[in-house]
Amino acid sequence: MIQLRSITKKYKNNYALRNVNLDILSGEFVFVVGASGAGKSTLMKLLYKEETPSSGTVMIGGINIANLPSDKVPNLRRCMGIVFQDYKLLQNQSVYDNVAYVIRTLGISTKEINARVLGALKVVGLSDKIKAKPTELSGGEQQRVSIARAIVNGPPLLIADEPTGNLDPKNSMEVMQILDQINQRGITVIVSTHDSAMVDYFRKRVITLENGEVVRDIQAGTYEQQ
Ligand SMILES: Nc1ncnc2c1ncn2[C@@H]1O[C@H](COP(=O)(O)OP(=O)(O)O)[C@@H](O)[C@H]1O
Ligand SMILES: [Mg+2]
């Protein structure tokens, strides 16, 4: 599904990624780990086309998105869900409206929107919170709303950049379990994290970045494994 070839990303004179080569298959669950500044967010941003590589190719579903024109980016993003550390919810909108927002522009019927929003909220266990505002929710619940928003359009790929970075261990576990369940429905899931307890618990593929380089790539790995 995803192939990165000879990816380098430079910000001014600073290399964020150096000669990264990666293949991620359809249906995989992948952790991207590494210390702060290792290049995790930059890698994710190349996948959702928030940044452009300095050199190399980013193939997603057979298309090189490295030089995708900006008018094609909305199309690309419709094929992926994105989850951020800080949720990025609309504070004055209800849970329902936060999730419905992205699909209201697609010209589908209100009935269909309703079915999809309720379906996504059910996956994250928030069916009883549809009228709540983000300020009335815990951090873990807010992150689950953002996951519902990310999957409401049924994307084949979910990208989560430090989704548990602001959460305590209990809420982190709930969020990771939801991401795991979403993966079990066949969606490819890529999660960046420096939460070693989560990585060690779930035993997924672990790709480790150090100073912008892939230094380990292990199936069913742990955080510190050599
Ligand atoms: N917009 C930017 N401008 C300049 N340097 C940046 C920018 N974004 C990231 N960097 C640098 O690139 C490196 C990798 O950052 P990042 O991908 O955010 O790492 P991580 O997510 O693993 O903490 C760091 O040295 C960081 O300071
Ligand atoms: Mg980061």
Side-chain angles (χ1 to χ4, degrees):
M1 169 177 246
I2 295 170
Q3 290 110 23
L4 302 189
R5 292 291 175 268
S6 310
I7 287 292
T8 293
K9 176 65 184 177
K10 256 171 104 174
Y11 294 108
K12 301 206 178 81
N13 293 323
N14 178 14
Y15 281 91
L17 293 173
R18 298 167 211 251
N19 191 29
V20 170
N21 292 286
L22 274 181
D23 284 87
I24 296 174
L25 304 179
S26 186
E28 275 197 287
F29 187 118
V30 179
F31 281 124
V32 177
V33 308
S36 181
K40 303 181 297 297
S41 293
T42 301
L43 182 65
M44 308 302 238
K45 285 175 182 172
L46 295 179
L47 299 177
Y48 60 85
K49 192 65 188 161
E50 179 72 21
E51 293 286 356
T52 298
S54 305
S55 62
T57 55
V58 181
M59 304 290 292
I60 299 189
I63 297 166
N64 181 11
I65 65 156
N67 300 308
L68 195 72
S70 54
D71 64 338
K72 295 279 193 301
V73 172
N75 262 337
L76 172 77
R77 299 245 177 100
R78 251 174 245 135
C79 300
M80 50 179 71
I82 310 169
V83 172
F84 303 96
Q85 178 170 353
D86 60 357
Y87 329 131
K88 298 199 191 300
L89 300 176
L90 302 167
Q91 294 303 317
N92 55 354
Q93 304 262 333
S94 68
V95 165
Y96 185 97
D97 287 334
N98 266 283
V99 178
Y101 182 79
V102 275
I103 54 171
R104 284 201 171 119
T105 58
L106 300 181
I108 50 183
S109 71
T110 309
K111 195 174 159 201
E112 177 68 18
I113 289 171
N114 195 40
R116 288 200 206 175
V117 172
L118 296 182
L121 285 170
K122 194 168 173 199
V123 171
V124 301
L126 286 178
S127 302
D128 57 339
K129 299 275 184 185
I130 57 173
K131 289 187 179 150
K133 296 270 169 64
T135 48
E136 296 160 346
L137 302 177
S138 71
E141 288 169 334
Q142 291 186 59
Q143 190 58 295
R144 282 149 59 194
V145 175
S146 102
I147 294 170
R149 178 184 59 191
I151 61 168
V152 72
N153 199 26
L157 172 63
L158 184 67
I159 296 169
D161 192 4
E162 305 252 12
T164 64
N166 290 353
L167 302 179
D168 62 21
K170 179 172 172 287
N171 280 294
S172 295
M173 178 58 81
E174 281 174 18
V175 161
M176 285 297 185
Q177 272 168 341
I178 288 166
L179 295 176
D180 191 28
Q181 282 159 18
I182 288 169
N183 173 248
Q184 282 166 28
R185 295 162 174 247
I187 297 176
T188 309
V189 175
I190 304 174
V191 181
S192 87
T193 185
H194 58 245
D195 188 336
S196 58
M198 287 300 132
V199 174
D200 292 351
Y201 178 85
F202 281 94
R203 290 287 177 146
K204 304 291 189 182
R205 179 177 172 191
V206 182
I207 295 167
T208 307
L209 290 173
E210 256 175 46
N211 297 320
E213 283 182 283
V214 175
V215 294
R216 280 189 289 279
D217 183 351
I218 297 174
Q219 298 291 337
T222 57
Y223 197 89
E224 298 285 359
Q225 194 169 7
Q226 295 303 307

